[in-house]
Amino acid sequence: MADTARHSEPRYGNRPTMKDVAARAGVGLKTVSRVVNAEPGVTPDTERRVQEAIDALGFRRNDSARVLRKGRTASIGLVLEDLADPFYGPLNRAVEEVARSHGALLINGSSAEDPDREQELVLALCARRVDGLIIIPAGHDHRYLEPEIKAGVATVFVDRPAGKIDADAVLSDSFGGARSGTAHLVAHGHRRIGFIGDQPRIHTAVERLRGYRAAMAHAGLPVDDSWVSLGTTAPDRVHEAVVSMLKAPEPVTAILTGNNRVTVTVVRALAAHDRPVALVGFDDIELADLLDPGVTVIAQDAATLGRTAAERLFRRLDGAADAPNQVVVPTRLIARGSGELPPSADR
Amino acid sequence: MADTARHSEPRYGNRPTMKDVAARAGVGLKTVSRVVNAEPGVTPDTERRVQEAIDALGFRRNDSARVLRKGRTASIGLVLEDLADPFYGPLNRAVEEVARSHGALLINGSSAEDPDREQELVLALCARRVDGLIIIPAGHDHRYLEPEIKAGVATVFVDRPAGKIDADAVLSDSFGGARSGTAHLVAHGHRRIGFIGDQPRIHTAVERLRGYRAAMAHAGLPVDDSWVSLGTTAPDRVHEAVVSMLKAPEPVTAILTGNNRVTVTVVRALAAHDRPVALVGFDDIELADLLDPGVTVIAQDAATLGRTAAERLFRRLDGAADAPNQVVVPTRLIARGSGELPPSADR
DNA sequence: CTGAAAGCGCTTACAG
DNA sequence: CTGAAAGCGCTTACAG
């Protein structure tokens, strides 16, 4: 009764509050709260009066205030590498669906493969007090997250593991996938096989290289340094790598690529090449079956990756306190033609 | 001094607050606030003491509480159709970049082309008091948003216009794009051209159909009912549409598709067909240049769509109060072969 | 330079 | 069935 109507500074809006509704309906604040939250213990008549006031004023509960009092924000953060990368679309959507089924909203953003930007974004999300975080890490040192995790922010890494901290992670079987893709090429008669991957500071790039090397070693095949190229996925860089591998005195007869962006560029480069070169790509790509030859790939299940990570997160939020663990999601080789080409006649 | 340490209920965490920091540093709350927000008027010595307390406790400002007091949440909502659809990836990312440059976080979600889900999501975002909304609408009646917009939630529609309310919108030139794509096919000698589009309740689907019809009319060509098929983008549905158009006594010799998902299915269907059929697709698709023939498309600029919408939104938030308007982003025809095929010999 | 009080819009824990 | 008071963790507007 003391401080009724001191209007606030120009904010974006000037929305009615529960206090306004209470005043208009001639009831107490708590009664409005009961109606808004469908709590029992309100006579139909009172409820009707409150509801009328709500409708007349266009009241909508401010969940930001609610959240402050309740302690949970019912929101989770998802930090991925690039919202525009089609590989992450299904992962993003899968996380959203799980969040939705738990009544939580999804805040997300791109790290742009920049560790500083990742940290900035993650900490901004912590400051907003998201209940949990799902992170596709760009950096390799996540000790900055320790105080947050200790303070109760559930965190699950996906696609790549956390660096220097012990945390839940859901990963694709990069090593196994690359190994089986390479073995597939070997089985089709190739002995000089190139590998073009992403930057070596990216975990999956290193794992896939390891898988490639393991398969080559298993087959008793040497790996020439010039057959391996790790770097950015910029088309120019990848294109040069292809050209140099094919121009060498002992040119490769097959190539294994480290991810979808590399695959696309390699397909373009090979289309311009005179001699057929076999190709197995990591990650499935749209229309791969319609190219000539169809592109043989090691497909990851991005949706399963996202769903598994989100389910793990909500289990943590529901109190699961077991030790952090890693889940590995299998990959699947899909033969479509490019990986089954025989080596072209040795010069 | 009265209510020092009454520990709260089990929430997710139990983080230190400014009060804790103040107590530990032996200063007032406001002094902590000054240090945390880098406001002037704190002696170096005091600042150091506060900073030490912050570090020791692992304090991080609760932006949720800050936001409640300040009135702006520094977050915007983006509601699109499907986070997994590659068409929306670049749009999503473009919105994120603009938001980021304004210090705002992005909350987003999928409507799954369901008007009820759209409304539910939008209102949840309003309850969180996002400063603004960018919406790719699924529904056709947005009057439910009127109280929110009146209350100050800036809103920009993108890709499709709002229904039954006057609001900013940023759209692709669907009509013009479809018209020029159709005219392109006519110029290459086609007279029986099919159109396979999305569901007629989707604005862009209708506009593209209109563009198709306008071009046909302009060329003095009749349009047989059996040449037009609107419906879901489910592969089965689209496949059937293709088959039926090609089986007719007067089969079409060219097809214009209404979006990327339809295009992909049509490409697959045509690959299995004996006779070449010309194709122009709405939306560019990855690897379109590598197919044989390359797929001629009407490319939309999804990133420009997103960037333009987000910039409009922040201009509104900065006070721009001019009447709602529509911005139309041009499309671009990219000839790659499939749209330049001549009509195959008349039966 | 520093801090106590009031308030942002809700919910919690009580008391009637 | 109903509501006044206190509090969530900050910032605002003052006063010293």
Side-chain angles (χ1 to χ4, degrees):
Chain A
M1 212 180 267
D3 49 10
T4 358
R6 198 155 105 209
H7 281 130
S8 48
E9 297 295 358
R11 352 179 104 201
Y12 283 149
N14 212 317
R15 310 194 59 137
T17 69
M18 282 196 180
K19 202 156 103 182
D20 300 323
V21 174
R24 179 165 182 129
V27 300
L29 206 53
K30 178 60 198 173
T31 298
V32 176
S33 175
R34 285 196 181 91
V35 173
V36 169
N37 296 302
E39 286 168 23
V42 181
T43 57
D45 185 58
T46 307
E47 176 168 358
R48 190 184 44 69
R49 282 208 336 273
V50 171
Q51 193 56 56
E52 278 172 12
I54 288 174
D55 296 341
L57 295 171
F59 169 79
R60 179 172 309 284
R61 183 182 65 195
N62 183 336
D63 281 351
S64 267
R66 167 171 230 249
V67 135
L68 175 62
R69 189 62 239 246
K70 296 210 91 120
R72 295 192 171 203
T73 57
S75 59
I76 66 170
L78 169 61
V79 175
L80 37 74
E81 193 226 312
D82 182 359
L83 284 168
D85 185 334
F87 174 70
Y88 295 115
L91 190 157
N92 199 350
R93 176 71 190 267
V95 170
E96 183 204 0
E97 291 300 331
V98 176
R100 186 174 132 87
S101 77
H102 287 263
L105 289 178
L106 216 208
I107 306 182
N108 55 22
S110 309
S111 69
E113 208 62 85
D114 172 353
D116 293 335
R117 183 162 162 177
E118 171 206 307
Q119 177 170 346
E120 182 194 336
L121 191 51
V122 165
L123 292 181
L125 292 167
C126 289
R128 292 300 178 99
R129 297 293 188 270
V130 292
D131 297 331
L133 282 167
I134 295 179
I135 303 176
I136 296 172
H140 281 89
D141 185 348
H142 297 94
R143 284 175 298 184
Y144 72 85
L145 257 170
E146 270 176 337
E148 311 299 326
I149 292 174
K150 207 161 293 171
V153 183
T155 305
V156 176
F157 286 75
V158 63
D159 192 40
R160 310 167 187 168
K164 304 193 178 177
I165 64 170
D166 194 26
D168 286 321
V170 178
L171 310 172
S172 268
D173 184 11
S174 284
F175 174 80
R179 191 182 46 187
S180 75
T182 308
H184 186 77
L185 290 167
V186 170
H188 283 272
H190 297 274
R191 307 185 57 80
R192 296 195 304 275
I193 303 172
F195 177 78
I196 305 180
D198 212 327
Q199 306 177 70
R201 59 184 177 74
I202 297 175
H203 176 263
T204 51
V206 175
E207 284 297 293
R208 289 167 197 175
L209 175 58
R210 268 188 57 224
Y212 158 81
R213 287 195 187 279
M216 293 295 275
H218 185 77
L221 296 172
V223 173
D224 191 281
D225 282 351
S226 69
W227 300 349
V228 172
S229 170
L230 262 50
T232 76
T233 57
D236 287 355
R237 204 281 299 177
V238 173
H239 201 277
E240 263 174 49
V242 174
V243 169
S244 107
M245 286 182 195
L246 295 178
K247 259 200 198 150
E250 294 269 37
V252 301
T253 62
I255 294 176
L256 179 77
T257 58
N259 71 32
N260 57 343
R261 277 164 300 187
V262 174
T263 307
V264 167
T265 303
V266 171
V267 168
R268 290 213 169 89
L270 294 183
H273 193 65
D274 48 351
R275 187 158 42 84
V277 175
L279 170 68
V280 171
F282 218 107
D283 296 340
D284 202 0
I285 49 180
E286 180 117 53
L287 300 187
D289 57 320
L290 289 178
L291 296 176
D292 184 25
V295 182
T296 295
V297 300
I298 302 145
Q300 300 189 71
D301 189 345
T304 296
L305 233 38
R307 186 170 8 85
T308 307
E311 282 165 355
R312 178 87 196 154
L313 186 73
F314 281 99
R315 242 177 289 122
R316 288 278 182 214
L317 290 177
D318 286 343
D322 46 307
N325 72 353
Q326 288 202 354
V327 176
V328 174
V329 175
T331 58
R332 193 164 54 97
L333 191 139
I334 305 175
R336 294 194 179 111
S338 75
E340 295 73 48
L341 292 175
S344 60
D346 238 345
R347 286 165 304 145
Chain B
M1 213 179 267
D3 49 8
T4 357
R6 196 155 109 210
H7 281 129
S8 48
E9 298 294 358
R11 356 177 101 201
Y12 284 147
N14 212 319
R15 310 196 56 139
T17 69
M18 281 195 180
K19 201 156 103 183
D20 300 323
V21 174
R24 178 165 183 129
V27 300
L29 205 54
K30 178 60 198 174
T31 297
V32 176
S33 175
R34 284 196 182 91
V35 172
V36 169
N37 296 301
E39 286 169 22
V42 182
T43 58
D45 185 59
T46 308
E47 177 167 358
R48 191 185 43 69
R49 285 213 328 279
V50 171
Q51 193 57 56
E52 278 170 14
I54 288 174
D55 296 341
L57 295 171
F59 169 80
R60 180 172 308 285
R61 183 182 66 197
N62 182 334
D63 280 352
S64 266
R66 167 172 230 248
V67 135
L68 175 61
R69 188 62 240 243
K70 296 210 87 119
R72 294 191 170 202
T73 56
S75 60
I76 66 171
L78 170 61
V79 176
L80 36 74
E81 193 226 310
D82 182 359
L83 284 168
D85 185 333
F87 174 70
Y88 294 114
L91 190 157
N92 200 348
R93 176 73 192 266
V95 170
E96 183 204 1
E97 291 300 330
V98 175
R100 185 174 133 85
S101 77
H102 287 263
L105 289 177
L106 217 210
I107 306 181
N108 56 22
S110 308
S111 70
E113 209 63 86
D114 171 355
D116 292 335
R117 183 161 161 178
E118 171 206 307
Q119 176 169 347
E120 182 194 337
L121 190 50
V122 164
L123 292 181
L125 292 168
C126 289
R128 292 299 178 100
R129 296 294 188 269
V130 292
D131 296 330
L133 283 167
I134 295 180
I135 303 175
I136 296 172
H140 280 89
D141 185 348
H142 296 94
R143 284 175 297 185
Y144 72 85
L145 257 170
E146 270 176 338
E148 310 299 326
I149 291 175
K150 207 160 292 170
V153 183
T155 306
V156 176
F157 287 76
V158 63
D159 192 42
R160 309 168 188 167
K164 303 193 178 177
I165 63 170
D166 194 25
D168 286 322
V170 178
L171 311 171
S172 269
D173 185 13
S174 284
F175 174 80
R179 191 182 45 186
S180 74
T182 308
H184 185 78
L185 290 166
V186 170
H188 283 271
H190 297 275
R191 306 184 58 78
R192 295 195 306 274
I193 303 173
F195 176 78
I196 305 181
D198 212 328
Q199 304 178 72
R201 59 184 175 76
I202 296 175
H203 177 261
T204 52
V206 175
E207 284 297 292
R208 290 167 197 176
L209 175 58
R210 267 188 58 225
Y212 158 82
R213 287 195 187 278
M216 293 294 274
H218 184 77
L221 296 173
V223 173
D224 192 281
D225 283 350
S226 69
W227 301 348
V228 172
S229 171
L230 261 50
T232 76
T233 57
D236 286 356
R237 203 284 297 178
V238 173
H239 201 277
E240 262 175 50
V242 174
V243 169
S244 109
M245 285 181 195
L246 294 179
K247 259 200 197 148
E250 295 270 36
V252 302
T253 62
I255 294 176
L256 179 76
T257 58
N259 71 32
N260 55 344
R261 279 164 296 189
V262 174
T263 306
V264 167
T265 304
V266 171
V267 168
R268 290 213 169 88
L270 294 184
H273 194 65
D274 48 351
R275 186 158 43 83
V277 175
L279 170 67
V280 171
F282 218 107
D283 297 340
D284 202 0
I285 48 180
E286 182 117 53
L287 300 187
D289 57 320
L290 289 178
L291 297 176
D292 185 24
V295 182
T296 295
V297 300
I298 302 145
Q300 299 188 71
D301 189 345
T304 296
L305 234 38
R307 185 170 8 86
T308 307
E311 282 167 354
R312 178 86 196 155
L313 186 72
F314 282 98
R315 242 177 289 123
R316 288 278 182 216
L317 291 177
D318 287 343
D322 46 307
N325 73 352
Q326 288 202 354
V327 175
V328 174
V329 175
T331 58
R332 193 163 53 95
L333 191 139
I334 305 175
R336 295 196 178 107
S338 75
E340 295 73 46
L341 292 175
S344 59
D346 239 346
R347 289 165 301 147

